[in-house]
Amino acid sequence: MSSTVCVVDYDLVCAAGVGLRSLRDSLAAQRSGLVPNRFPGCSLPTYVGEVSAASNYQWPESEVYWTSRNNALVELALQQGSLLDSLQRIRQLVPPERIGLVIGSSTSSIDQAEDAYRTVREQEGRPHDNLRDRVLNPHAPTIYVAHRTGITGPAVTLSTACSSSAKVFATAARWLEAGVVDAVLVGGSDSLCLTVLYGFHSLQLVSTDICRPFDRSRDGINIGEAAGFALLVRSDLPVEHTGIVLSGYGESSDAHHMSHPHPEGAGARRAIEQALARAKLAASQIDYVNLHGTASRVNDLTEGNLMAQLFPESTFMSSTKGWTGHTLGAAGIIEALIAIDTFKTGLLPGTLNLRDADPEIALRLSADNAQGEPTHVMSNSFGFGGNNASLIFSRGRG
């Protein structure tokens, strides 16, 4: 079955905005969502991209079983904009078993596991209210979305570190192209937790400063949290959509190192070239690229020099992690949606917090936003273990 993969609707929550409208305001004003770390139980001197609405989320009594910070982010994202209304329109056309779910996450509901271990130590036994097998589960965000939406089709959770929720688009496209389903709700969510904060600190990857992607003085990442969703359908399904299509995707795994990227970006190059080939586009036709750009010394050097080799100077590129922080398993979808949204707003975000470009990086970037009318945009996500994904979205090819 050959058909175009169309984007029907999308929305998100992150530190820079609860919902797309709020995020658009932050991007336009160059207002970062990063704040000095005050996360409970964590004394690390750093900045974090905390979603305060997740900290304050109150679960209805009937839904208390699902309590977790990650599920709160998922619920907040689902409530934004017209996402659930669009899903309901799809459900009027196809049965719930013909709608798939693909969600990316790296932490899932690990905050609840942390609470359970604390309680075990304090009470010298296993607390009954922590025995929730559908929450203390790597598959938890997908289980919750299925519960929340009534979708009963194929459901998978992808966990490939920072590329997790970029790869959801590729999986969904294969399902749609093969006729396994008629629509797919793709998404990603990751939440702040002590395991992640102290884990990345132990790898000496966390900056004490606000993160500065591609800057000479960059010295590490700021960890953020986020959740986002996009509703995808085949073009032969008679439903109104945005006119935006997933035109290309590429995936690779170079397995160079547990945490460091390949020094020449070999796997990243393969993912990018696959995406361009699938979209039948030359690099010069890409108008905007949302870079992985974490602000770590090695990642930015590798990605920046690779992108300078592959793309002309006319392609506007930026890292948006200065607004959101590195949202790990949610980074793929958050940054893909930021790239997609340039079709609607014409705003091409700059690289926030960039003050002094690293002279060792050939790629020339600007901290300033730009205006444009992109036709093709790309989003890169490169994870631990060499798990790479590159996505291309196009306007009006459906």
Side-chain angles (χ1 to χ4, degrees):
M1 180 178 294
S2 178
S3 185
T4 305
V5 177
C6 302
V7 179
V8 172
D9 206 344
Y10 58 94
D11 223 305
L12 53 74
V13 296
C14 65
V18 176
L20 273 169
R21 290 183 179 179
S22 178
L23 176 60
R24 287 167 182 163
D25 291 342
S26 294
L27 292 173
Q30 292 213 314
R31 182 174 59 247
S32 175
L34 298 173
V35 296
N37 176 37
R38 299 290 185 270
F39 191 71
C42 182
S43 60
L44 292 177
T46 184
Y47 284 72
V48 295
E50 182 176 354
V51 179
S52 58
S55 303
N56 302 323
Y57 188 76
Q58 297 295 315
W59 290 90
E61 186 175 348
S62 61
E63 298 288 285
V64 167
Y65 173 91
W66 299 99
T67 300
S68 79
R69 190 177 187 91
N70 214 47
N71 281 346
L73 286 167
V74 167
E75 177 60 31
L76 287 166
L78 287 173
Q79 292 175 8
Q80 301 309 309
S82 55
L83 197 61
L84 290 177
D85 290 339
S86 295
L87 179 59
Q88 184 58 33
R89 290 201 305 274
I90 299 295
R91 290 195 57 174
Q92 292 172 358
L93 297 172
V94 298
E97 65 270 19
R98 293 288 301 174
I99 305 174
L101 278 175
V102 192
I103 310 296
S105 185
S106 66
T107 64
S108 189
S109 294
I110 201 169
D111 65 302
Q112 293 300 291
E114 292 173 351
D115 285 346
Y117 279 113
R118 276 193 295 269
T119 307
V120 165
R121 287 197 302 270
E122 293 167 1
Q123 298 184 1
E124 299 182 354
R126 290 194 304 174
H128 177 73
D129 60 357
N130 284 113
L131 298 179
R132 293 174 291 143
D133 60 341
R134 287 171 290 171
V135 175
L136 295 176
N137 189 320
H139 194 41
T142 311
I143 296 173
Y144 177 70
V145 174
H147 159 77
R148 177 68 168 81
T149 62
I151 293 172
T152 59
V156 299
T157 305
L158 301 182
S159 187
T160 56
C162 310
S163 63
S164 299
S165 60
K167 292 168 74 69
V168 300
F169 286 92
T171 297
R174 287 189 286 266
W175 286 4
L176 290 166
E177 290 162 359
V180 174
V181 291
D182 300 307
V184 186
L185 182 63
V186 300
S189 64
D190 253 352
S191 50
L192 288 171
C193 60
L194 300 181
T195 304
V196 164
L197 286 162
Y198 281 106
F200 275 87
H201 175 68
S202 71
L203 294 172
Q204 300 180 333
L205 290 175
V206 176
S207 177
T208 58
D209 191 11
I210 198 164
C211 73
R212 303 187 185 281
F214 300 98
D215 194 274
R216 184 200 297 260
S217 65
R218 72 190 184 282
D219 64 351
I221 71 173
N222 297 153
I223 296 171
E225 60 185 354
F229 292 94
L231 186 56
L232 309 179
V233 298
R234 286 197 313 272
S235 56
D236 56 6
L237 194 69
V239 62
E240 182 180 353
H241 57 81
T242 59
I244 301 166
V245 301
L246 174 65
S247 51
Y249 57 87
E251 301 173 280
S252 69
S253 180
D254 55 53
H256 168 73
H257 187 273
M258 284 287 289
S259 57
H260 283 267
H262 188 281
E264 283 81 44
R269 176 189 286 269
R270 283 196 296 273
I272 291 166
E273 290 177 344
Q274 284 177 25
L276 289 168
R278 185 168 274 113
K280 297 181 174 60
L281 294 171
S284 60
Q285 293 175 272
I286 304 299
D287 301 300
Y288 170 67
V289 180
N290 190 296
L291 300 164
H292 189 54
T294 63
S296 77
R297 296 298 304 178
V298 177
N299 174 87
D300 288 8
L301 180 67
T302 302
E303 183 181 16
N305 286 330
L306 173 64
M307 296 303 286
Q309 293 173 25
L310 295 177
F311 289 81
E313 292 184 7
S314 58
T315 302
F316 191 88
M317 304 188 198
S318 68
S319 166
T320 51
K321 287 184 171 66
W323 275 277
T324 66
H326 191 347
T327 59
L328 308 180
I333 189 143
I334 296 303
E335 291 158 20
L337 297 188
I338 290 173
I340 287 172
D341 210 45
T342 64
F343 292 130
K344 290 190 174 183
T345 67
L347 186 146
L348 309 180
T351 300
L352 193 63
N353 306 326
L354 176 64
R355 297 180 302 190
D356 183 15
D358 188 337
E360 296 184 8
I361 297 176
L363 188 65
R364 298 295 90 188
L365 301 173
S366 173
D368 297 329
N369 295 344
Q371 291 293 318
E373 295 184 0
T375 301
H376 308 289
V377 300
M378 173 180 282
S379 182
N380 289 338
S381 297
F382 307 138
F384 277 6
N387 283 291
N388 308 298
S390 185
L391 304 171
I392 298 175
F393 299 91
S394 300
R395 185 204 303 262
R397 295 179 96 191

